[in-house]
């Protein structure tokens, strides 16, 4: 309909075929999350699931087993403590593993909207500062974790990284806030860092503007490790929702077919921002996080630059989605059920399935069995 429209018209639809990506369960489950992997092996009866993720479905029968659920939660908490130790070692920031771990790790880019995430963090900080100490004690503690790299010449992305770190410095040193809200940017993102981060997420954010993400694979990794998605109806989020059930995922934001109309409108109009978004802008412009002039171009891109990635459009529903996440997380038993069922229904997202489909439908090659190998 858009990118390949002319090619399809000339060469026909049969020239094009779509295959959903997958991730390797050997690294992204078995190696990086040994405690959860042991529980899966117990449920399946052997380690055959490592090369056949369809066997994850046996977890569904254990979702109501109280002992299994308790050990599942303990595995997640152990992973969170491991990440807390890693954060302390790499950043010097001390976080509590008892808080909800809210993670966004991916390449820093405007369409992936790390800016929207940190603006929501600023709004949360604004709300906390308006509360009395007694009111703050009732809030759900949250650690917001960012990681990812920007292209060397991508100035806007680097400004977003600067804003995240400036916000983190202020919030993390605010004694009134304490452990209720912490913000961390983990430097030098790598596979090693990912192996510490991904198994520890309670919620992971995949919030690209609808229609801009071709697929994405980090969302698959997070869910295969028992994390829940907060995301837009975009990329592989859609297929993950279809597999695990939309009750196991928190969707928000406009849909892909609406984006063009919103962009056209915002190109010629400057609507007043939502009150929550304006509150975040006000805190930045009040020099709360350092010289506001450094960050004014980021604000201008939303208010005066046509808001190409529709932050102002999606921000209200994004804040409401965060509220839904918090309400669900407080329901401890239901959250564990979501986590187990999500993993149980993620067989489709193995790289083995993806490669098998390429082999059969694109490359027309036969498998060559290898004997004497173990995983």
């Amino acid at each position: 309909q858009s990118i390949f429209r002319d090619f399809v018209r000339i060469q026909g639809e049969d020239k094009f075929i779509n295959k959903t990506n997958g991730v390797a369960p050997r690294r992204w489950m078995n190696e990086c999350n040994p405690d959860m992997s042991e529980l899966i092996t117990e449920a399946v009866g052997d380690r055959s699931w490592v090369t056949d993720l369809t066997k994850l479905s046996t977890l569904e029968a254990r979702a109501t087993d109280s002992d299994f659920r308790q050990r599942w939660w303990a595995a997640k908490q152990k992973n969170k403590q491991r990440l807390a130790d890693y954060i302390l070692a790499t950043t010097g920031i001390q976080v509590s593993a008892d808080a909800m771990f809210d993670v966004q790790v991916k390449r820093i880019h405007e369409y992936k909207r790390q800016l929207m995430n940190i603006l929501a963090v600023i709004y949360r900080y604004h709300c906390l500062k308006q509360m009395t100490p007694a009111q703050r004690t009732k809030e759900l503690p949250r650690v917001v974790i960012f990681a990812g790299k920007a292209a060397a010449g991508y100035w806007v992305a680097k400004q977003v990284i600067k804003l995240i770190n400036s916000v983190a410095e202020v919030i993390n040193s605010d004694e009134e806030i304490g452990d209720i809200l912490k913000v961390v940017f983990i430097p030098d993102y790598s596979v090693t860092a990912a192996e510490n981060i991904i198994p520890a997420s309670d919620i992971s954010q995949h919030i690209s503007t609808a229609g801009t993400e071709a697929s994405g694979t980090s969302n698959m990794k997070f869910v295969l490790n028992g994390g829940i998605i907060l995301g837009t109806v975009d990329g592989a989020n859609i297929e993950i929702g279809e597999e695990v059930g939309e009750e196991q995922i928190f969707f928000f934001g406009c849909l892909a077919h609406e984006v063009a109309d919103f962009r056209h409108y915002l190109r010629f109009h400057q609507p007043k921002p939502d009150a929550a978004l304006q509150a975040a802008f006000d805190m930045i412009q009040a020099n709360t996080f350092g010289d506001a002039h450094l960050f004014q171009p980021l604000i201008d891109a939303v208010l005066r630059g046509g808001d190409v990635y529709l932050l102002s459009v999606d921000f209200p529903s994004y804040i409401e989605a965060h509220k839904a996440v918090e309400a669900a997380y407080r329901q401890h038993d239901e959250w564990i059920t979501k986590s187990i069922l999500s993993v149980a229904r993620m067989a489709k997202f193995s790289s083995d399935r993806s490669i098998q489909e390429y082999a059969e439908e694109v490359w027309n090659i036969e498998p060559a069995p290898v004997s004497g190998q173990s995983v």
Side-chain angles (χ1 to χ4, degrees), residues 89-101:
T90 55
T91 70
I93 300 170
Q94 190 160 7
V95 301
S96 171
D98 293 327
M100 182 175 74
F101 278 20

Side-chain angles (χ1 to χ4, degrees), residues 18 22 71 88 152 198 209 224 229 238 244 278 288 325 328 360 368:
N18 173 69
R71 288 185 289 140
L88 182 61
I198 290 170
T209 309
L224 280 164
I229 284 178
I238 298 170
V244 306
Q278 187 61 59
T288 308
V325 167
E360 293 176 352

Side-chain angles (χ1 to χ4, degrees), residues 128 131-141 180 330:
L128 290 171
M131 296 178 185
T132 65
Q135 289 173 323
R136 288 191 200 109
T137 61
K138 299 177 182 178
E139 292 297 302
L140 180 70
I180 298 172
R330 290 179 185 273

